[in-house]
Amino acid sequence: MTHARSACVLILLAAAGCTSTNGTDEEPDLPTPAAAGSPAARQPAPVTPPPLDAGPGGSTAGRYGPAHGSAGFSYPADTRGKALTVAVSCRGRGGVEVHLTVPQADFRLACASGEPAVTYHQFALPAAHRTGSVRVTAPSGVTWAVTVGRSDPAGEDPATATG
């Protein structure tokens, strides 16, 4: 009889080890490590007008975007002695071409399909205080945004600058 009781206890222990604690036979749904950290699960940052670190005495003259394809906008005049800063962000296949009426400058930015590409250009020219406009030429599949601002020229200490 001792063998029969031992066998019965072993069978009960084995059966208890095979049941789940929540009363169902299904495994709980847990995220797999590959799905939780996969690049497809993370969304890239949105394309927005890039922030400017204008510092003391700096200002934002205009923002535009996000936009697709080609477009332009104007920005107002400001104080003499300030540099004009243009920041562009873009994402998509191809790139953008940026044309500034003041100070008659052009530059290009190659875009990528992941995180937005961002570039900053500063123009410390006598005409930088004037009213101007930005014209961006881009394919329709490219999303872009622009910020224009004015600040003290890079490398110049505002405390020692003369106007």
Side-chain angles (χ1 to χ4, degrees):
M1 181 87 129
T2 336
H3 290 314
R5 283 187 194 160
S6 296
C8 184
V9 170
L10 287 175
I11 292 172
L12 288 173
L13 288 175
C18 293
T19 61
S20 65
T21 58
N22 63 3
T24 66
D25 292 334
E26 296 179 22
E27 291 285 325
D29 290 333
L30 298 175
T32 62
S38 71
R42 290 179 276 156
Q43 293 295 326
V47 176
T48 58
L52 295 178
D53 182 15
S59 64
T60 299
R63 289 186 175 103
Y64 193 90
H68 298 276
S70 301
F73 69 100
S74 297
Y75 54 89
D78 202 345
T79 309
R80 285 184 183 269
K82 299 288 183 181
L84 182 71
T85 302
V86 180
V88 181
S89 174
C90 69
R91 180 175 46 228
R93 190 174 193 168
V96 297
E97 186 171 320
V98 181
H99 174 73
L100 305 169
T101 57
V102 174
Q104 289 295 315
D106 297 296
F107 60 90
R108 293 177 187 209
L109 175 62
C111 306
S113 58
E115 291 299 315
V118 179
T119 188
Y120 293 82
H121 291 274
Q122 188 177 73
F123 302 94
L125 302 170
H129 70 282
R130 293 186 182 158
T131 299
S133 65
V134 177
R135 175 82 181 150
V136 177
T137 304
S140 61
V142 171
T143 303
W144 57 269
V146 176
T147 304
V148 177
R150 294 195 176 83
S151 61
D152 293 319
E156 185 175 307
D157 183 359
T160 61
T162 57

